Amino acid sequence: MKCSTCQAKAAIEIRRHNAAFCGPCFTAHLERQVQRTIESERMLDPGERVLVAVSGGKDSLCLWEILRRQGYETTGLHLDLGIDGYSPEGRKKTEAYAELHGLPLQVIEVRQETGFTIPELADRTRRPPCSGCGLSKRYLMNRAALEGGFPVLATGHNLDDVAAILLGNVLRWQVEQLSRMTPVRPASHPRLVKTVKPLIRVTEREAVAYCLLRVLDYHEDECPNAAGATLLLYKDIVNQIEAVSAGTKQAFYQEFVKKLQPRLAAGETFTLRECEVCGQATTREVCAYCRMMERARQKTVQRGRVTRTVLEVPPA
Amino acid sequence: MKCSTCQAKAAIEIRRHNAAFCGPCFTAHLERQVQRTIESERMLDPGERVLVAVSGGKDSLCLWEILRRQGYETTGLHLDLGIDGYSPEGRKKTEAYAELHGLPLQVIEVRQETGFTIPELADRTRRPPCSGCGLSKRYLMNRAALEGGFPVLATGHNLDDVAAILLGNVLRWQVEQLSRMTPVRPASHPRLVKTVKPLIRVTEREAVAYCLLRVLDYHEDECPNAAGATLLLYKDIVNQIEAVSAGTKQAFYQEFVKKLQPRLAAGETFTLRECEVCGQATTREVCAYCRMMERARQKTVQRGRVTRTVLEVPPA
């Protein structure tokens, strides 16, 4: 198999594009594709300060590297989730990348910020870990972007991520969630920062190949909480279909954004206001993050009481 | 495991309903469920003459049996597709059922009606066999219902069928097809008969169990043309998700019908008129069926010419 660009020996085949590339042509192709996505979806303006969410995994390092190479003024944002045996490694890789390229990096320790690590939060709120983690990340990243005066936050969601999330929302027809599934989420309230997903046309496999070819030292482990998560099942299912019909994964998400999402968004009207506790944007009196945190704190107090009561019972 | 109704030993578990049934309670449950579907979706009026599409497989015989037991005035309609090694058996089973219960049955031989068997049609039009077959069946069944003066045509599409078709349409966001995916298709033109799918809440597995318990002699073979068809992949995929999360299959279709389909139908406006060739309802000048048949006939004529030309060339 030969490189579609330079006819050298190909290193990677991209079936859905009916193309193959050698190493150098592949990295150039991927960078061009991400830049085209950024331009066609009007994600970033030239010279705009971008806060990049970086876990230290393949997607976020691939994203930071491409934005850096394209000349965007980036600052990294790493959330240390406090997951034993997993979080330290991602933080180390992120810090190493920032140091190597002399890029600014902000690290937020979720435990210090909220009083709980992600596993503690899952335990106290009895939510699945991925649910509390996702909510915390969205909240803390938006707040960090606001406080840092960044007009835009970029995340490393790739095509496999958005296709799997779309499938999950479609299976139960979560219309509200579907109506928000766009490559760009505009700042629809003064307390919300615009968020963008420049990797929506890059698959997991392509992000890995890019990291290997650019020699980016990324954190390879999957989060231990994700094992058995339905999102992994949905990714697997989308890949089964892709194997039989190349291009379905990309068409599934892109056609959704083009044909369906606008119709759904037109039907969904909600008014955003400021959360009475924290002031962030919400549709309710108190935002989902503050409600979750309140439940987690109550549970901690209750447990404290139970312990004390047991201790106060005089021995029989 | 005990029967949820009578506490006898259960013969079948229905995980998505969190229930199990012995044989007699299961058949009663299934018949009640189909009757409830018919009533809640206003599929049939009591005493209405119903034309039932019967292939001789599990779904159509299950449907005919339930409608017969509920006292509907049914006539069977069997299309003999002319598929070697497959069609004769389905026809035999259908005729045997009709004879056993003294029910009227109309048999249409596709070859006699159109000049081609389904395999010949696929060969001449270069369409996938399932595509030409589906189009022919919908056309011929509608015409038979019109000519017989039936106000409604019932088909045996089960929950696995509609969920798999829905997944296929969703993966490419076929909005026009999606907007038509309702349990009842009203007679939106004088040349269209109302069609209904009373088994949309019955899975394949339940239809098989019903046939076994009611001792219905059905045609067990899968159509040879269906092997490798994407619909089978989609059925398998929906079942993988159902295995992890019971109830997803039913929610996927039902929530679609409730939440999405009305929004899509509101956006799709098309005017039906009579086909210039056959007079049936269509959005174009000539309907899809007549266009397909014209292509098949042209191909036949061309092949005849090619053969003659070859023969007329004098030997070198």
Side-chain angles (χ1 to χ4, degrees):
Chain A
M1 209 168 39
K2 289 187 171 175
C3 174
S4 309
T5 308
C6 75
Q7 308 302 316
K9 189 162 179 272
I12 183 167
E13 187 186 7
I14 315 284
R15 273 184 64 211
R16 72 181 186 291
H17 294 329
N18 226 338
F21 297 101
C22 67
C25 289
F26 172 72
T27 51
H29 157 80
L30 203 83
E31 285 159 8
R32 217 166 36 235
Q33 196 175 44
V34 171
Q35 183 56 30
R36 269 209 299 262
T37 304
I38 289 171
E39 286 167 11
S40 67
E41 303 287 341
R42 300 185 182 191
M43 291 184 167
L44 307 173
D45 293 328
E48 201 169 36
R49 288 177 67 227
V50 188
L51 187 63
V52 187
V54 187
S55 68
K58 62 188 186 319
D59 303 310
S60 55
L61 283 185
C62 167
L63 173 62
W64 204 2
E65 172 77 1
I66 294 176
L67 294 180
R68 183 185 71 76
R69 285 180 173 265
Q70 309 280 14
Y72 290 99
E73 194 190 326
T74 59
T75 294
L77 170 64
H78 178 80
L79 298 194
D80 186 330
L81 307 171
I83 300 170
D84 272 349
Y86 173 72
S87 293
E89 190 68 10
R91 179 169 175 170
K92 216 170 76 185
K93 304 279 187 190
T94 307
E95 288 172 339
Y97 182 87
E99 197 175 353
L100 181 66
H101 296 287
L103 292 168
L105 172 67
Q106 182 184 356
V107 174
I108 297 177
E109 291 185 7
V110 173
R111 172 97 206 238
Q112 200 172 14
E113 207 61 39
T114 68
F116 308 103
T117 64
I118 291 297
E120 285 166 357
L121 200 61
D123 172 56
R124 277 166 182 73
T125 57
R126 302 191 174 211
R127 291 171 79 121
C130 298
S131 150
C133 183
L135 176 55
S136 304
K137 282 199 281 195
R138 281 190 300 276
Y139 181 90
L140 294 171
M141 292 191 304
N142 179 71
R143 201 176 69 186
L146 271 179
E147 290 174 355
F150 290 92
V152 58
L153 171 75
T155 61
H157 292 92
N158 61 39
L159 178 56
D160 292 75
D161 294 327
V162 293
I165 295 168
L166 177 58
L167 179 62
N169 284 334
V170 153
L171 285 170
R172 299 264 168 182
W173 296 104
Q174 313 269 28
V175 176
E176 195 184 318
Q177 283 91 322
L178 286 168
S179 74
R180 294 185 196 158
M181 285 199 67
T182 45
V184 175
R185 293 285 305 146
S188 53
H189 183 275
R191 303 294 298 162
L192 283 177
V193 165
K194 173 180 169 182
T195 61
V196 299
K197 299 183 177 70
L199 301 191
I200 44 162
R201 284 169 205 156
V202 176
T203 64
E204 272 185 7
R205 178 172 162 267
E206 291 155 24
V208 168
Y210 184 83
C211 288
L212 295 174
L213 289 163
R214 284 280 183 222
V215 201
L216 303 178
D217 183 22
Y218 66 94
H219 185 199
E220 288 185 39
D221 296 356
E222 190 80 58
C223 174
N225 291 326
T230 45
L231 203 64
L232 292 186
L233 170 67
Y234 298 153
K235 280 189 182 179
D236 175 55
I237 274 171
V238 172
N239 280 330
Q240 287 179 43
I241 301 169
E242 181 73 13
V244 173
S245 167
T248 303
K249 196 189 289 181
Q250 190 156 347
F252 179 45
Y253 179 69
Q254 285 193 189
E255 295 295 291
F256 166 78
V257 170
K258 200 169 119 192
K259 294 189 195 164
L260 256 281
Q261 191 277 336
R263 293 191 194 215
L264 300 182
E268 294 293 306
T269 50
F270 39 80
T271 315
L272 290 171
R273 53 172 163 173
E274 290 184 11
C275 168
E276 289 183 0
V277 177
C278 73
Q280 295 280 43
T282 175
T283 54
R284 311 259 298 253
E285 281 180 24
V286 175
C287 75
Y289 176 81
C290 287
R291 280 182 279 133
M292 175 174 75
M293 284 304 160
E294 181 55 28
R295 270 199 306 280
R297 277 189 291 266
Q298 276 178 4
K299 191 74 193 175
T300 311
V301 173
Q302 276 171 15
R303 285 199 187 160
R305 267 199 213 120
V306 170
T307 315
R308 268 199 306 279
T309 314
V310 170
L311 288 175
E312 282 162 13
V313 172
Chain B
M1 208 169 35
K2 287 186 172 178
C3 173
S4 309
T5 308
C6 76
Q7 308 304 314
K9 189 162 179 273
I12 182 167
E13 187 185 7
I14 314 285
R15 272 184 64 210
R16 73 180 186 289
H17 294 328
N18 225 338
F21 297 100
C22 68
C25 288
F26 172 72
T27 52
H29 156 80
L30 203 83
E31 286 160 7
R32 216 166 38 235
Q33 197 175 43
V34 171
Q35 182 57 31
R36 271 209 298 261
T37 304
I38 290 172
E39 287 167 10
S40 67
E41 303 286 342
R42 300 187 182 188
M43 292 184 167
L44 308 174
D45 293 327
E48 201 169 35
R49 287 177 67 227
V50 188
L51 188 64
V52 187
V54 187
S55 67
K58 61 188 187 319
D59 303 310
S60 55
L61 283 185
C62 166
L63 173 62
W64 205 0
E65 172 77 1
I66 294 176
L67 294 181
R68 183 186 71 76
R69 285 182 172 264
Q70 310 279 16
Y72 290 100
E73 194 189 327
T74 60
T75 295
L77 170 64
H78 178 80
L79 298 195
D80 186 330
L81 307 171
I83 301 171
D84 272 349
Y86 173 72
S87 292
E89 189 68 10
R91 179 169 175 170
K92 218 170 76 186
K93 304 279 187 190
T94 307
E95 288 172 339
Y97 182 88
E99 198 175 351
L100 181 67
H101 295 288
L103 292 168
L105 172 68
Q106 182 184 354
V107 174
I108 296 177
E109 290 185 7
V110 172
R111 170 98 208 237
Q112 201 171 14
E113 206 61 37
T114 68
F116 308 102
T117 64
I118 290 299
E120 286 166 356
L121 200 61
D123 172 54
R124 278 168 182 71
T125 57
R126 301 190 174 210
R127 290 171 78 122
C130 299
S131 151
C133 183
L135 176 56
S136 305
K137 283 200 280 196
R138 282 191 300 276
Y139 181 90
L140 294 171
M141 292 193 302
N142 180 70
R143 201 176 69 186
L146 272 179
E147 289 175 357
F150 291 92
V152 58
L153 170 75
T155 61
H157 292 92
N158 61 40
L159 177 56
D160 292 75
D161 295 326
V162 293
I165 295 167
L166 178 58
L167 179 62
N169 284 334
V170 153
L171 285 170
R172 298 265 169 182
W173 296 103
Q174 313 268 27
V175 175
E176 193 184 319
Q177 283 91 322
L178 286 168
S179 74
R180 295 185 194 158
M181 285 200 67
T182 44
V184 176
R185 292 285 304 147
S188 52
H189 183 275
R191 302 294 296 162
L192 284 177
V193 165
K194 172 180 170 180
T195 60
V196 299
K197 299 183 178 69
L199 300 191
I200 44 161
R201 284 169 205 156
V202 176
T203 64
E204 272 185 7
R205 178 172 161 266
E206 290 155 24
V208 168
Y210 184 84
C211 287
L212 295 174
L213 289 163
R214 285 280 183 220
V215 201
L216 303 179
D217 183 22
Y218 67 93
H219 184 199
E220 288 184 39
D221 296 357
E222 190 80 57
C223 173
N225 291 328
T230 44
L231 203 64
L232 292 187
L233 170 68
Y234 298 154
K235 279 188 184 180
D236 176 54
I237 275 170
V238 172
N239 280 330
Q240 288 179 44
I241 300 169
E242 180 75 13
V244 172
S245 167
T248 303
K249 196 189 289 183
Q250 190 156 345
F252 179 45
Y253 179 68
Q254 285 192 189
E255 294 295 292
F256 167 78
V257 170
K258 200 169 119 192
K259 294 189 196 164
L260 255 282
Q261 190 278 335
R263 293 190 193 215
L264 301 182
E268 293 293 306
T269 50
F270 39 83
T271 315
L272 290 171
R273 52 173 163 172
E274 291 183 11
C275 168
E276 289 182 1
V277 177
C278 73
Q280 296 281 44
T282 176
T283 53
R284 312 260 295 255
E285 281 180 23
V286 175
C287 74
Y289 176 82
C290 287
R291 279 183 279 134
M292 175 174 74
M293 285 304 160
E294 182 53 28
R295 269 199 305 280
R297 277 188 291 267
Q298 275 177 2
K299 192 74 193 172
T300 312
V301 172
Q302 276 172 12
R303 285 197 188 162
R305 267 196 213 123
V306 169
T307 313
R308 268 199 305 278
T309 312
V310 170
L311 288 174
E312 281 162 14
V313 172

